[in-house]
Amino acid sequence: MFVCSNCQKTYSKWQGRCDSCGQWGTITEVASSGFQGKGKSKGKGKTGISNSIKPIRFIDLGKESSDKKQGTSNRQLVTGIHEFDNALGGRLVSGQVLLLSGAPGVGKSTLSAQITEAFSQKGLNVLYICGEESPDQIAHRVKRLGLKHENVSFLPETNMAEVESYVASNLDKVDVMFVDSIQTMYDPNLPSTSGSVSQISESTNRITNLAKGFGITTFIIGHITKAGDIAGPKVLEHMVDTVIYFEGDKRMEFRILRVEKNRYGPTDEVGLFRMSEKGLTEVKDTKELFDPNKSDAPGSVYSMVMEGTRPVVVEVQALASRSYFSNPRRTTSGFDLNRLFIILAIIEKKLKLNTGELDVYVNITGGIKVNDSGLDLAVIKAVISSIKNEIIPKTSIFFGEVGLTGEVRKIFLEDKRIKESKRLGFENIYSNKNMKRVV
Ligand code: TYD
Ligand code: MG
């Protein structure tokens, strides 16, 4: 059996942290005489009281932080990858747990390799737990990216108990930890297979305990399903400090890093990257993302949306075609479906165009999700353009929120978007400034 040397609580299996007194690394295996152990646990079980807990005075907080490791100052937890640091609020905190999620193939492991390199170059020891790929496969990527990874070790292990035991006994070798991916981790004592909801939450819980207990800044990588959820429970998001979504169409270059939750920083800034031969490169000027050669076809319209504090030009595509279904189809990608229903109702009512027998598809190219009411006007224009089979010139751009009566409303940072549109060379800029109604 296993006994905590601090409070004597007994366990049938090893674990990193004692549930009773909260101490780390105090549980060791002892030869069980059966009899004695039983008596002991009975005694404890009766009262369940441990004398070792005590509250911490406010003024003592931070003096001796939960960071038991020396040398992992928060100052070092800056990657130097500006788009990343900026989106995360400047720097990370020791013991911070970040969930990095995105669709398979979007570039989570690539981004992780580059962040790993940044920490390694600062002299921090990085432990990369790889359940998804073998160390050889990762090494191949690392070399291709031209990274040195001097202070990086790979641990090909998916059993949580093994991971805990390794980390607890090699603390000097772990300042930062990556778990790639959470869907591969498992606890052999649970009946379900890895990737199931219970395995994912149990593993996340234990990884979080390790991170907090030892002050290890930890990245948990998680895949998301097509629907955009992290495969596994939403509850995962409550267990971590920071939730990062990495978005983009894997067939295209553009990637956007969105911080959805952050206990240690802001959530209104994003990181912009492009995937190249040499991995992810930062987008310094959003002009790089603008492809002025979009296809000259009906249903395609430019718009300007805000990503964090930066305006980014996007192409909206719509296709309206005769439906063969009793319930015509409406599908969106990157745009709110309910918003499309409203827009179709406005088109029907205000423009007297019959949309009831049309299937309507709307797509924001580049694989990004846009949650910006300024897109309404461009979506309306794109749908009408497709219905009427009329081309909208490439030199035009549209942004504005459209109200239920068909009015074009002012949007957040309109002037900034106009200025950016001018800089990119748009000649006809349509917004609330010069267009008050859709008809
Ligand atoms: P990866 O980081 O493995 O994705 P994830 O971990 O999110 O599943 O990246 C996968 C894709 O990125 C793969 O299709 C190849 C592409 N890629 C590049 O274009 N350039 C590169 O330098 C690297 C490493 C990957
Ligand atoms: Mg990967």
Side-chain angles (χ1 to χ4, degrees):
M1 67 175 186
F2 298 83
V3 177
C4 172
S5 60
N6 190 45
C7 71
Q8 314 303 316
K9 184 172 163 73
T10 57
Y11 295 90
S12 60
K13 63 178 168 75
W14 188 89
Q15 60 185 63
R17 181 173 183 257
C18 178
D19 292 342
S20 167
C21 67
Q23 287 295 310
W24 283 90
T26 51
I27 298 175
T28 47
E29 189 169 8
V30 294
S32 162
S33 63
F35 195 51
Q36 188 197 9
K38 239 185 182 173
K40 250 191 186 168
S41 60
K42 217 177 174 185
K44 267 222 80 67
K46 252 184 189 162
T47 60
I49 291 170
S50 144
N51 293 325
S52 58
I53 62 155
K54 55 174 190 288
I56 308 163
R57 277 154 50 99
F58 175 73
I59 53 166
D60 294 333
L61 281 170
K63 274 186 192 161
E64 188 200 330
S65 72
S66 66
D67 179 4
K68 300 201 175 89
K69 302 156 71 61
Q70 298 297 309
T72 320
S73 79
N74 293 341
R75 196 148 31 102
Q76 282 179 291
L77 292 165
V78 176
T79 63
I81 304 171
H82 179 260
E83 289 294 316
F84 177 84
D85 292 338
N86 191 39
L88 270 299
R91 60 173 174 72
L92 305 180
V93 173
S94 70
Q96 183 170 353
V97 181
L98 304 100
L99 176 65
L100 171 60
S101 50
V106 73
K108 299 178 296 297
S109 301
T110 308
L111 180 65
S112 301
Q114 290 177 248
I115 298 168
T116 296
E117 178 68 13
F119 288 138
S120 163
Q121 285 194 5
K122 287 185 183 284
L124 296 173
N125 294 313
V126 183
L127 179 70
Y128 203 100
I129 298 163
C130 38
E132 198 91 5
E133 296 164 292
S134 73
D136 283 338
Q137 281 173 308
I138 299 179
H140 184 74
R141 178 192 298 118
V142 169
K143 281 185 200 137
R144 206 159 71 75
L145 294 171
L147 308 176
K148 294 199 188 70
H149 270 38
E150 273 172 354
N151 299 309
V152 183
S153 318
F154 295 109
L155 184 67
E157 182 58 68
T158 52
N159 182 336
M160 267 320 301
E162 296 283 354
V163 169
E164 283 174 330
S165 133
Y166 174 82
V167 173
S169 47
N170 291 277
L171 286 179
D172 54 325
K173 299 196 192 105
V174 194
D175 300 313
V176 178
M177 182 163 74
F178 283 80
V179 181
D180 190 357
S181 65
I182 190 67
Q183 275 90 8
T184 61
M185 305 306 290
Y186 75 103
D187 173 355
N189 296 312
L190 290 180
S192 51
T193 54
S194 51
S196 65
V197 172
S198 58
Q199 288 285 10
I200 288 177
S201 19
E202 172 68 9
S203 301
T204 304
N205 194 12
R206 288 166 73 168
I207 292 164
T208 306
N209 280 342
L210 273 181
K212 301 291 171 204
F214 297 129
I216 302 169
T217 303
T218 303
F219 290 79
I220 298 176
I221 293 156
H223 297 301
I224 55 171
T225 58
K226 269 231 173 92
D229 302 324
I230 298 168
K234 199 78 178 159
V235 72
L236 211 74
E237 299 196 354
H238 302 292
M239 293 159 79
V240 299
D241 300 312
T242 306
V243 178
I244 304 170
Y245 280 94
F246 205 38
E247 268 176 40
D249 184 336
K250 65 180 172 189
R251 289 157 301 183
M252 294 168 78
E253 287 185 338
F254 182 38
R255 297 288 182 275
I256 183 159
L257 186 145
R258 249 183 247 285
V259 181
E260 296 276 309
K261 163 187 173 181
N262 197 358
R263 279 189 189 140
Y264 302 113
T267 53
D268 52 1
E269 196 47 278
V270 298
L272 303 176
F273 295 90
R274 54 200 303 177
M275 180 65 93
S276 71
E277 295 279 284
K278 295 181 222 86
L280 291 157
T281 52
E282 299 181 59
V283 174
K284 295 261 163 25
D285 182 347
T286 47
K287 194 171 182 171
E288 289 174 41
L289 303 172
F290 173 49
D291 172 14
N293 304 314
K294 81 171 168 71
S295 56
D296 228 350
S300 160
V301 173
Y302 279 128
S303 186
M304 187 71 74
V305 297
M306 296 306 297
E307 286 300 355
T309 54
R310 283 173 293 184
V312 174
V313 60
V314 293
E315 184 191 340
V316 178
Q317 292 184 338
L319 177 66
S321 63
R322 197 188 133 195
S323 179
Y324 292 93
F325 302 97
S326 51
N327 272 332
R329 291 198 172 186
R330 277 93 222 292
T331 313
T332 57
S333 152
F335 182 73
D336 182 16
L337 183 61
N338 288 322
R339 203 70 211 156
L340 176 62
F341 293 150
I342 294 172
I343 281 175
L344 291 178
I346 295 171
I347 291 176
E348 178 101 26
K349 186 96 180 174
K350 300 289 161 191
L351 290 113
K352 311 270 187 285
L353 281 173
N354 190 353
T355 59
E357 279 144 29
L358 299 171
D359 288 335
V360 181
Y361 307 96
V362 170
N363 177 28
I364 313 300
T365 63
I368 62 165
K369 275 196 232 78
V370 180
N371 186 9
D372 184 328
S373 57
L375 212 55
D376 289 355
L377 187 57
V379 172
I380 285 204
K381 280 289 162 189
V383 173
I384 295 171
S385 157
S386 177
I387 294 175
K388 294 189 169 173
N389 219 12
E390 285 172 2
I391 289 172
I392 295 198
K394 279 195 260 194
T395 48
S396 300
I397 189 163
F398 298 83
F399 39 86
E401 182 181 337
V402 177
L404 294 182
T405 65
E407 82 276 20
V408 177
R409 310 173 74 134
K410 215 171 148 22
I411 43 166
F412 177 59
L413 295 175
E414 186 164 328
D415 289 335
K416 203 168 179 178
R417 303 189 211 212
I418 293 174
K419 209 169 143 202
E420 177 69 3
S421 304
K422 286 185 180 152
R423 186 177 80 101
L424 295 179
F426 284 101
E427 288 161 16
N428 309 306
I429 303 166
Y430 298 97
S431 70
N432 164 271
K433 280 249 159 75
N434 56 4
M435 194 176 179
K436 300 297 177 197
R437 305 195 55 79
V438 286
V439 272

